[in-house]
Amino acid sequence: MNDSQTFQTTPSVASASDAGSADSIADQAKATPGGTWRRWLTLENRFLAPLLITSILLVGQLSFGILESWSRTLIAIGIAIAFELVLGKLVVGRFPHLASAYISGISVGILIRSPFIWPYAMCAGLSIMSKYVLRIHDRHLWNPSNFGVSAMLFLYPAAVASLSIQWGNSLWPMLVVWCLGAMIISRLKRFHICLTYVISFIAFAGARSWLTGSPFLANVSPLTGPMYQLFVFFMITDPKTTVRSKWGQCLVAFLVAAVEMILRLAEFIHAPYYALFLVGPVALAIEMRWTRGRSGRPGDAERVLNRDKNADDSAPPRELGPPPTS
């Protein structure tokens, strides 16, 4: 083939290639919206949980004014992010993803009620510090927000209270949050935890009603409030502080509801926080011990328990196995 033939044939090949590329680009453009949404709603997307908790904040504040103040909530978020950046760099050697810190900070801003500013900053700091200080085999035991809120309620009852506002008689705010939360949590494959806890709570509410003679609706009504929505969607489903197996996660959710009922019968005001504070770490410690005993070698157990070690706290755990196919 001579140079003239090459010159003549090359443009035709290029034109065909360009046409094919154009068709491919057009096809991709048509498929992009759906594909983008599918990618956005994947397990790897770490902004789903922040989106959900932000929606709870906005719906609650615009409808019923659940925040003590915007400034105190922003302080809690800022302190949580600052502690996450500093401790992540000092302890782990890198800056972590900040979705987990944002969730912890905004949870503190919503759940804590105080006329003072320092409880918001202190609670946010304690929440993040618990992730880096209270660890076994490179895994923290407590949900950060649960640890911080429980500690503040127990240590400073005269200065700190928890959120007790309900959605009132308006049904739509509760439906919006629950529907959005159910969709996101189901995409993250944690919906069975929420469902187990809700069913258990309702059953134990009936038991409390029978034991105390109080109305059933009065015992079950807290489940419809914004505090319980944060508790159900974020605290008991935290990937880093839940056991690995699905049946174990359901069992722990049931036990949290059971311990909560006992604490309520003993007239503990902040029963759900304390129940998770007690049950969650014990369940994790038992799982770690059981896994180490089965492996026979500490290195194997730690490798199984810490397979998500390099993942950020806001990312859901992956199951061991082949990589997913698209």
Side-chain angles (χ1 to χ4, degrees), residues 96-117:
H97 197 281
L98 296 179
S100 176
Y102 174 79
I103 292 173
S104 297
I106 202 171
S107 297
V108 169
I110 295 175
L111 295 175
I112 287 293
R113 315 291 288 182
S114 177
F116 310 107
I117 295 178

Side-chain angles (χ1 to χ4, degrees), residues 281-300:
V282 173
L284 277 179
I286 292 175
E287 182 191 56
M288 292 179 187
R289 179 68 177 177
W290 179 73
T291 306
R292 287 171 64 87
R294 287 191 62 189
S295 68
R297 292 183 299 174
D300 291 343

Side-chain angles (χ1 to χ4, degrees), residues 84 100-101 126-135 140 144 313:
E84 186 81 87
S100 176
L126 285 174
S127 299
I128 302 302
M129 287 178 63
S130 69
K131 294 168 51 177
Y132 295 93
V133 177
L134 304 175
R135 303 174 69 88
H140 61 273
D313 293 344

Side-chain angles (χ1 to χ4, degrees), residues 82-96 132:
F83 270 64
E84 186 81 87
L85 289 172
V86 173
L87 292 176
K89 187 64 174 177
L90 291 177
V91 177
V92 184
R94 59 183 174 84
F95 292 116
Y132 295 93

